[in-house]
Structure formats: structure tokens, C-alpha cells
Amino acid sequence: MYDHLQIEKKWQQKWRESQLYRVGEDQTKPKYYILDMFPYPSGVGLHVGHPKGYIATDILARLKIMQGFNVLHPMGFDAFGLPTENYAIKNKMQPQGATDINIANYKRQLEILGFTYDWEREIKTTDPRYYKWTQWAFLKMFEAGLVFESYEPINWCPSCKTGLANEDLEDGKCERCGSEIEQKPMRQWVIRITDYAERLLADLDKLPEWETSIKEMQKNWIGKSEGAEINFGAASSELKIKVFTTRVDTIFGCTYVVLAPENELVEKLKSQITNWSQVAEYIAAVKNKTNLERTDLNKDKTGVKLEGVQAINPFNGEKVAVFIADYVLNSYGTGAVMAVPAHDERDYEFAQKYGISIKKSISPAAAIEAPDCYTDDGLLLASGEFTGLNSASARTQMIAWLEKNNQGNKKVNYKLQDWVFSRQRYWGEPIPIIHCAKCGAVPVPYEQLPLTLPNVKSYEPSGTGESPLATIADWVNTTCPKCGGPAQRETNTMPQWAGSSWYYLRYIDPHNDKALVDKAREKYWSPVDFYVGGAEHATRHLFYARFWHKFLFDIGVVNYEEPFKKLKAVGLIIGEDGRKMSKRWGNVINPDEVVAQYGADSLRLYEMFMSPFSDSSAWNTKGLIGVRKFLDRVINITTSTEPDSAVVINLLHKTIKKVADDILDFKFNTAVSAMMILVNAIYNQGGKLSQANYPLLLQILAPFAPHLAEELWANIGQPDSIFRSSYPTPDVNLMKDSQITMVVSVNGKMRASLELPTGISESEVLALALEHELVKKWLEGKEIVKKIFVPDKLINIVIKYTP
RNA sequence: GCCGCGAUGGCGGAAUUGGUAGACGCGCUGGACUUAAAAUCCAGUUCUAGCGAUAGAGUGAGGGUUCGAUUCCCUCUCGCGGCACCA
């Protein structure tokens, strides 16, 4: 047993005093930038799940430091946003005050775990010196035409009293509070992220070190689909009904056309629609539905036929019926589809219900029975000049036909929607725009940045949908920077994602007041070599950050097109009862208590040992005691003037290599296991280790258990920190095995094993095997058909099977 | 429904160009030490049969490829994550 409290406190203080973690700018050294997703400092503090990723990056950082790299491993706080604002309202505090208290608590909790952060580089997104550059980037986007105002209906959370982006919804409910959301028209600032859709998709291929699952999620999020826009004529009207389809090849099977109820064509066709009252009623009913109801797949498809209107198929001049139905979304494609019930399941279901005819135009290429609704590619059937073509070439030729006849064109669509970038809330970066009656939306001049958040009496949402900022007359009323006339400030603030979209750049150059980041420094430190965080950010933060970075690249602020070279997702730690850690279940484990009772080194080691890094797994205090026992065993190893056994020497050098390799691979659980095996071997030789090898043991342990390793390092008279020593290099000769276990199997089944010198030949092994009693009895009276020999591994004797 | 990932002892998990399944840890059993307990140390621990040597079975289920499959292929079941009427 050792006094972890005393040791850990002592070294944390010494490291601070000696500025062990100060990050230098010596650009002649190779750099390594390791980044954690920075935390949101909530009022409840950290539970043991939060630091898991930080422990892993800290181990990697310490290894890299010992390997001679200039390591940047910073930490900061993503502090703007709703939770703090709501927390402040509830506790009758100012959001700024609540943030300061929460950050101080988080820092304290991080400090006791012994991380290598250089707090000189700390970032807070709420610091005006930081958000000056968030605002600056926004204005650059405004200048570049990427930002626009939109009056589209937005998702409105009646409980949070704020607008939400689609990204902030879960199952049509508010991600934060779980309330059902409503549709409410609201003036919003929107960023044209869709302009970058193609690059965000294509450049995923430049990220081989990202986990495929996260790349797949981003791909699905962008949702690219290639197809065609086709103009259907409207009978007895000049209007064109433009539809989008990925399956032009099925168009000869089109028996009706469907418009989204909100499609503006509906209003334009009003004069021809003979059942308008019925149509209007349907449109009104759809409007009242929440998105949740509308997108519920289990519900029946509904729609109304537009009596008096017909659409003309440009390929064959056929007139087909026109419907409105809420299964067609106005926000995707053209808000209109051509329906081919024979080859699309939704259309099939709808046609069945409304008695619309079903016409086959594709037959399966293989000789199989065609189902009523066949959705795969095949051969074209009854399709005029295109009959007999396969689907793929038909699509190419039919699009060419459309373009030649001016009836449509090739078109790529994305599910990705533009980024609603404003919130009607107080605790966010003010959007630096001034509204002038004469000049329109005018940017706040760059030299006036940062545009700071004013103090306000009440942080409660106004309830009208406007930000509390709107109530501060002397802040709102200003003069137009362009014409000098009276004007009003924008009162919306930015979403929480804004500050986190580029923070990794600021760590490189945190105090620069002339630029977002110095370009030479950025060239040296970027990109982030290793980024670690929760997979839940795959389609939000990670997507926005990639977009923001590409924009900064385009305007020449950064040198590289992608911000994060390697990405690893951290698995959750759930409660001992198998449920997510939450106050509600009373299963939260507080790291403060674990550190007090077992020490930070034990916590670090345990979280790395408990499961593969990216897997989620349940906390188990018994397992924690197991790694604490391991540390106690390390302490009890004594140094000796006697040489070590061959087994220990061999194992030590193998372990040096394995631990370093495993850290770089984020396979911490097997690294810890390898160290345990080594220590067990040392105990088998009496718990003594030679003076020459003892320091090596401490060095491989140091990244995992820094306090203890540092203490033991000092105990053997080392004057400087163990983290200023060089990570040991394994001796390849000492790692070599002189003996191997040769497996002898008969028909693939292990029957015996032989301890033999390495490099032994097949004939020698065979001779020994045939003599072996355990092998002999299986071979008696049997004919040997063949032998398979894997050098230094096994020999398999194959005999003829005679029942 | 679609996309991705996964399923191994009582538990967490280990094992990759296909070659000893169950490393390491927890738990459990026994022993040493102790007046006793805790701690520590040592030994054992997949299941079945056997005192034992040993034999048989065994990596979610079924099939296949192979001298040999936890690993590769096909079908299915269950679980996790993401997306979801995207035309």
C-alpha cells in the first residue's frame, strides 16, 4: 500500500512549478497535436465517464513527449449554450457567473487526474477575445455570400422557447428538453453549408485514419443522390411540374404525379382545381401536424387528387393524374415526384389505396418471377425507343434525351440542408450584423469586433421568440456603419456549435489579437494528428468543424483542407447497474471520490484496462481494486545487484515494444495486461529486478501511472522528471525467443506439443513427432497422406480417414 | 426499412497474412502466514466423464470452403449506434 494522496499531490505541484507541460514553439522538433473534444462545463461536474478519453490522450501525449516530440495537448471549455443559460435562470445567477464557477470546478477535477495540459493555452468560447474570431469568421462568410436570412418556418420548441435546427432534434422532439416541437415561421440566419456538400463528401476519402462508421454517418448525412429533374407539362396550362427522380428508367411506368402540399405550384394551379375546398382542407390538416406525425412510417399514406389537373409525361405525351400527399417533402428535390407504383414501394402503397393503375416498365434481368412491385434495376419494358435497355444505360440515354429536347436535365440532390445559424437566446455569440432601413443587413465593421454581449436584467426567453437582447434598447439602437442613419442590431445569437467549429486552431496561437491564428504556426502544428471524442458528434460538431475549416482554407487562413488527420471514438462508461450514469438512477460514480480512495493512477489505469477503448462498458469498482493491487505490486519490487532471469529480460523488451505499439493503436487494455504479465514474471523471480532494468519498468509505466512512476523514479536518485527521459528502445536481440512451442496435430486436432529450439527443420520435427507417445497412438495403422509444416509454429499430420 | 458495428467461461475481456481458444483482471475454491480476521503470497478455476493420465464437447444458430475456422464465404437470430416516406 502507498499513500496515493500524498504522492499525487506532491508531483502535481512539482510539475506545475517546473512548468513540465509548457508547450514550446521549437519548430525544428517534430510536432504531434493531440486533441480531446473540449467539455461543456455543466453544473453537475464530471463523472468517471468523461475523463476516459482525456486519460487516453494523456497517455499518448506522455509517450510522445518521451519519444522526443513537441506535443500539443491542450484543454478548454465550450461554455456558451442553452444548458448554462437554463441553469443560470433556475439558480438565479448570471450565465457568466455560472460558467466561471462550473469551469473552475471542471479544472479542479481535471487537475487531480494529473493531465499534461498547458493551461497557458486554455480556450473558453465565451471569452470575448475568443469569440471575436468566431464573429470574424461569420462576417467573412457573410462577405463570401454564404450567409442569408430566411423566413422559412423553423422548428420551435415551446418549452425552451427557441428555434432549433434539424440537427438539434431527436425523433421530432427537442434534443435538450424532449418537448414536441412545432413549426413556427421565424427570421433566421442560415449558412449555405450545402455549397460545400460535394467537397465534404469527396474529402472523406482523404481521411483513411478516421473510423469508417463515422465516415459512413457523414456520408448518410450528406445523402447525395444522382438523378434527373424532369419537366412534366400541365394539361391546359403553361405551367411545368418539375419532378426529381433517380429512376428515369422507370418513367414509362409513371401513372401519376405527386406534389408536396406546400409546393407553390398548388396555389398557382388553384383556378383549374375543381375540388379546391377539399384540397385546401388537406393542406390545412398537414400544416397542423407535427413532423413526428408526418414522418411516422407506420401511418397510412394520405393524399388528395387535384381534380381538373393533369400532368403530361414528356417521354410519351401521356396524361396522368396529379395528387398532393404529405409523403412528398417540399424541402427535398423539387417538392414533386413522378410516381411509378410498379417499381417504388411508397408509390405502390399509395396507388393501391387510391385505385390508381399500375403499369410495369421494368422486368428483372434474371429469370425470376417479378413481384407486383419490383424496385431493383432490370430491363426496360414497353418503354418506346428505350425498350430492352438495361436500367443503368437507359438512365444515361434518357437523361441525354431530356437535355436534347429541353425537357429536363441531370441533377444531383443532397439530403443535407443549410445550417440554421441563429438562436433566440442570450447566452451565445452576438451575431455582428446591423439592420438598416436604407442599407439592409450591414456587417459590423471588423475593427469593432468583438461585439460583446451586453449585461441584461433578465435572461428569461421573451416568449415571443425574440432574444432577451431585444429588450435592451440602448444596445439594440445604433447607427448604420454604412450610411450613418439610425439602425438596429441583430438580436439573435449564434448556436453552440459556432465556437466549437474552430477552437482547435486557437490552441495553436491562443493570445493572438491580430489574427484568428498565425499562419506559420498553423502550418507547423496543423492538422490535429489525433482527435478523440464521442461518436455522438459524428454528424454535428465534426461536420460543422470540417465545413468551417474548409471555408477558412478557401479564404487563406489555414494551410490544410482537413482539420483532423486521425479520429477515434471513445466508448461510454455506463453505471454498475448497466444503465447510463445519471442522477436519476443514482448510479453516478464521481471521480473525486475514486481519486481520494484509490488514487488518480488507479483510476487512469482502470479506465484503460476495463475494455477496448471505443467500446462502452460498465463500471466495476472491484476491477478498479484489481489495478490498484497491480500498482502495489510494482511498488514492492525491489532493485537488486543480481542479473535478471532470461525470461524476465526477454519479456521486458517485448513489453517495451508492445506497450508503445499498443498506445499508438489505442489498445490500452492489452498494454496494461502486458505490464501485468511482466510484473507477474518479476514476482516469479522473487520480486527483485536488476538496477539496470528497473528504470525501464518505470518508464513504460509512466504514461499510465505518472505520479507513481515519477515517485519511484525519484526514489532511485534520478534528478530530473521521468518525462524528460527518453522512452526506452527495445533490444531486438533480447526480444528473440530461443525456444518455441511446436504444436503437433493430427488431422488439424492438437495432440501434443514440443519445446524446441527456434529454426528447427521440418524433418527434425517430424521425426520427434512420430516418436511422441501421444502422437503415435493416433497414427497406428493409418496411412499418412500429407504433412503441413509451419516453421516455429506447428506440424499437422494428415492421415487417411478409415472408419 | 436502410447503413455501420457486434455476439467468446460466473463477469470484463484476450487471440489476424486461418495454426495450442479463454491471455490479463474480477469473482470463486484451496493452501501458507495470523490467536483470529483483513491485507499479502502461492496454487487451482470453460463444460462433461474420470482419482488420474486422458478422452469428448465448445467462440449466438445452421450450412460451406480448408489439412486446420473465434478468424474467410452464405443464410438466419439477437443486441448496439446512426439515418429514416430523400423520390
Side-chain angles (χ1 to χ4, degrees):
Chain A
M1 286 299 280
Y2 70 102
D3 183 354
H4 53 263
L5 288 176
Q6 185 258 326
I7 288 176
E8 289 175 358
K9 215 173 152 192
K10 174 172 97 186
W11 288 108
Q12 280 162 15
Q13 196 181 333
K14 286 206 177 185
W15 291 331
R16 215 171 9 247
E17 283 163 5
S18 63
Q19 303 206 336
L20 184 68
Y21 307 135
R22 177 57 49 82
V23 178
E25 285 293 331
D26 177 5
Q27 301 201 353
T28 59
K29 271 171 100 180
K31 69 94 184 181
Y32 202 80
Y33 186 177
I34 307 169
L35 183 68
D36 296 285
M37 288 183 189
F38 62 165
Y40 188 90
S42 78
V44 292
L46 295 170
H47 68 61
V48 288
H50 296 114
K52 183 176 168 190
Y54 310 154
I55 293 167
T57 52
D58 194 65
I59 289 166
L60 179 61
R62 288 178 187 272
L63 173 70
K64 285 284 178 183
I65 288 168
M66 291 172 81
Q67 288 179 334
F69 286 85
N70 200 11
V71 172
L72 178 56
H73 178 225
M75 185 46 75
F77 300 95
D78 185 17
F80 270 135
L82 266 182
T84 300
E85 187 171 330
N86 290 338
Y87 177 85
I89 291 168
K90 201 173 146 196
N91 295 289
K92 306 210 186 310
M93 303 165 80
Q94 288 191 318
Q96 182 63 62
T99 298
D100 292 343
I101 291 167
N102 292 346
I103 286 180
N105 185 43
Y106 265 57
K107 275 178 87 166
R108 180 192 60 75
Q109 288 193 296
L110 293 170
E111 283 279 81
I112 60 171
L113 293 172
F115 293 135
T116 53
Y117 304 133
D118 177 357
W119 289 111
E120 289 290 303
R121 290 181 184 248
E122 177 186 355
I123 296 289
K124 293 172 199 156
T125 54
T126 48
D127 184 338
R129 287 166 298 182
Y130 177 84
Y131 70 67
K132 170 182 178 179
W133 297 104
T134 312
Q135 292 172 330
W136 181 87
F138 177 83
L139 289 184
K140 286 288 173 187
M141 289 181 197
F142 183 85
E143 242 174 55
L146 280 171
V147 176
F148 62 98
E149 280 177 283
S150 163
Y151 293 82
E152 301 276 319
I154 55 117
N155 303 308
W156 172 255
C157 173
S159 166
C160 301
K161 301 211 187 302
T162 186
L164 299 166
N166 286 333
E167 287 86 337
D168 298 331
L169 303 182
E170 261 166 17
D171 293 333
K173 293 179 183 177
C174 175
E175 187 187 46
R176 301 246 175 257
C177 69
S179 310
E180 290 275 338
I181 61 106
E182 295 165 1
Q183 298 300 304
K184 179 170 175 166
M186 183 78 64
R187 184 182 55 82
Q188 295 291 352
W189 286 97
V190 181
I191 295 179
R192 244 183 264 281
I193 195 170
T194 50
D195 279 9
Y196 281 72
E198 192 57 47
R199 280 165 69 191
L200 287 165
L201 178 67
D203 288 354
L204 287 173
D205 292 337
K206 296 180 186 164
L207 301 170
E209 293 181 274
W210 276 41
E211 280 177 35
T212 47
S213 62
I214 291 181
K215 286 197 279 188
E216 280 302 314
M217 279 187 230
Q218 292 211 351
K219 246 179 227 177
N220 292 340
W221 194 254
I222 296 167
K224 179 181 181 177
S225 59
E226 292 177 83
E229 280 184 356
I230 304 167
N231 293 320
F232 276 65
S236 69
S237 163
E238 293 300 301
L239 291 171
K240 294 279 185 199
I241 300 172
K242 191 181 264 192
V243 306
F244 173 73
T245 181
T246 55
R247 295 295 305 275
V248 210
D249 54 309
T250 65
I251 197 167
F252 281 84
C254 170
T255 53
Y256 61 104
V257 163
V258 190
L259 305 179
E262 309 92 327
N263 193 314
E264 56 179 19
L265 276 171
V266 179
E267 193 66 34
K268 286 182 181 165
L269 289 163
K270 187 175 175 180
S271 59
Q272 294 167 49
I273 298 169
T274 56
N275 58 336
W276 181 253
S277 62
Q278 199 190 345
V279 169
E281 199 179 304
Y282 183 76
I283 293 172
V286 168
K287 252 186 204 156
N288 285 337
K289 279 187 195 171
T290 65
N291 263 12
L292 185 67
E293 286 170 322
R294 217 178 136 170
T295 56
D296 183 358
L297 266 169
N298 294 325
K299 81 166 174 58
D300 272 354
K301 296 207 181 344
T302 61
V304 173
K305 190 174 178 181
L306 303 184
E307 301 287 355
V309 179
Q310 284 190 306
I312 304 164
N313 184 335
F315 276 90
N316 56 12
E318 213 171 276
K319 290 181 181 168
V320 296
V322 179
F323 284 77
I324 55 171
D326 66 359
Y327 80 90
V328 174
L329 308 175
N330 203 36
S331 55
Y332 183 77
T334 59
V337 302
M338 62 174 216
V340 185
H343 306 295
D344 180 282
E345 290 191 10
R346 290 158 301 173
D347 299 343
Y348 181 77
E349 193 191 319
F350 191 80
Q352 289 259 301
K353 184 170 171 188
Y354 290 93
I356 306 161
S357 64
I358 295 166
K359 193 170 140 195
K360 290 191 177 178
S361 64
I362 302 283
S363 63
I368 57 158
E369 178 101 16
D372 287 344
C373 180
Y374 175 75
T375 56
D376 288 345
D377 278 6
L379 299 174
L380 271 69
L381 203 67
S383 297
E385 59 185 285
F386 304 100
T387 305
L389 289 175
N390 67 53
S391 289
S393 55
R395 283 194 283 268
T396 315
Q397 294 190 29
M398 290 167 99
I399 288 169
W401 184 93
L402 282 169
E403 287 175 346
K404 195 177 89 192
N405 293 287
N406 210 19
Q407 296 290 335
N409 50 273
K410 191 174 173 162
K411 174 77 183 178
V412 174
N413 267 324
Y414 303 92
K415 288 187 212 174
L416 179 70
Q417 302 202 2
D418 283 325
W419 182 7
V420 177
F421 196 71
S422 44
R423 298 290 183 273
Q424 294 71 49
R425 278 288 188 154
Y426 172 77
W427 194 229
E429 301 89 343
I431 291 176
I433 295 284
I434 291 166
H435 297 279
C436 170
K438 228 189 286 176
C439 313
V442 180
V444 170
Y446 288 109
E447 61 273 16
Q448 289 177 23
L449 297 182
L451 172 60
T452 52
L453 260 181
N455 284 321
V456 59
K457 277 197 205 95
S458 165
Y459 306 97
E460 304 273 354
S462 61
T464 62
E466 276 192 300
S467 158
L469 291 178
T471 63
I472 315 173
D474 48 336
W475 185 79
V476 172
N477 293 315
T478 183
T479 51
C480 172
K482 216 171 178 178
C483 68
Q488 279 80 44
R489 289 192 189 279
E490 171 64 54
T491 59
N492 283 338
T493 53
M494 297 186 191
Q496 208 197 318
W497 311 111
S500 60
S501 291
W502 67 279
Y503 73 107
Y504 53 91
L505 290 170
R506 194 63 180 174
Y507 287 130
I508 290 170
D509 194 11
H511 308 298
N512 193 335
D513 60 0
K514 300 281 182 295
L516 187 149
V517 62
D518 177 75
K519 221 178 161 187
R521 282 189 171 203
E522 195 272 335
K523 186 165 191 176
Y524 171 68
W525 283 112
S526 278
V528 172
D529 292 283
F530 211 134
Y531 194 24
V532 175
E536 70 272 19
H537 291 112
T539 51
R540 292 158 157 83
H541 159 64
L542 282 170
F543 196 72
Y544 295 137
R546 288 183 64 223
F547 158 73
W548 202 283
H549 196 89
K550 283 181 187 302
F551 172 72
L552 293 178
F553 175 81
D554 290 349
I555 62 169
V557 173
V558 297
N559 293 283
Y560 309 95
E561 274 212 68
E562 283 290 337
F564 314 119
K565 197 170 161 214
K566 182 166 183 168
L567 179 73
K568 201 91 187 166
V570 53
L572 280 180
I573 293 179
I574 53 176
E576 229 153 346
D577 56 0
R579 287 187 290 207
K580 210 171 162 178
M581 275 192 197
S582 146
K583 244 186 181 168
R584 196 168 139 211
W585 305 119
N587 59 357
V588 176
I589 307 277
N590 185 327
D592 299 4
E593 288 161 24
V594 176
V595 168
Q597 200 172 349
Y598 303 99
D601 286 339
S602 298
L603 177 69
R604 292 169 61 109
L605 211 55
Y606 173 60
E607 294 205 3
M608 294 301 98
F609 182 61
M610 64 193 295
S611 71
F613 181 71
S614 295
D615 288 6
S616 72
S617 97
W619 179 266
N620 179 356
T621 300
K622 288 257 175 66
L624 177 75
I625 293 167
V627 298
R628 170 63 200 237
K629 274 194 220 165
F630 162 73
L631 291 178
D632 286 328
R633 277 160 78 82
V634 171
I635 294 156
N636 290 330
I637 292 171
T638 52
T639 55
S640 160
T641 47
E642 284 166 43
D644 297 308
S645 72
V647 172
V648 165
I649 292 169
N650 176 263
L651 197 55
L652 173 66
H653 286 270
K654 280 184 180 166
T655 308
I656 291 169
K657 180 166 176 12
K658 178 163 177 61
V659 169
D661 288 352
D662 278 356
I663 291 173
L664 295 174
D665 260 357
F666 263 41
K667 286 156 69 175
F668 301 103
N669 56 335
T670 50
V672 175
S673 152
M675 291 189 286
M676 288 172 167
I677 292 168
L678 174 63
V679 167
N680 289 347
I682 293 168
Y683 268 70
N684 283 338
Q685 69 167 17
K688 290 189 168 87
L689 191 60
S690 70
Q691 284 171 353
N693 285 332
Y694 185 73
L696 304 186
L697 172 69
L698 299 183
Q699 284 173 308
I700 57 174
L701 179 67
F704 293 85
H707 309 90
L708 182 67
E710 190 77 292
E711 173 76 11
L712 297 176
W713 184 255
N715 286 351
I716 55 169
Q718 294 284 353
D720 206 352
S721 168
I722 194 169
F723 299 103
R724 295 203 206 276
S725 72
S726 292
Y727 195 83
T729 329
D731 185 323
V732 184
N733 288 320
L734 297 174
M735 277 168 61
K736 274 187 197 150
D737 291 304
S738 55
Q739 286 244 319
I740 48 92
T741 306
M742 178 69 63
V743 168
V744 184
S745 56
V746 178
N747 281 6
K749 187 122 186 125
M750 207 262 277
R751 293 302 173 188
S753 65
L754 305 164
E755 291 302 314
L756 298 171
T758 46
I760 191 166
S761 72
E762 176 175 357
S763 53
E764 287 173 283
V765 173
L766 184 65
L768 289 165
L770 293 177
E771 273 171 36
H772 198 286
E773 284 305 320
L774 291 175
V775 180
K776 251 183 183 169
K777 71 181 206 193
W778 293 99
L779 301 180
E780 225 158 73
K782 298 290 197 315
E783 184 191 340
I784 296 176
V785 184
K786 65 170 158 176
K787 292 147 282 195
I788 284 127
F789 180 67
V790 182
D792 292 342
K793 270 248 159 78
L794 94 162
I795 186 159
N796 185 19
I797 299 163
V798 184
I799 54 171
K800 204 171 210 172
Y801 176 71
T802 39

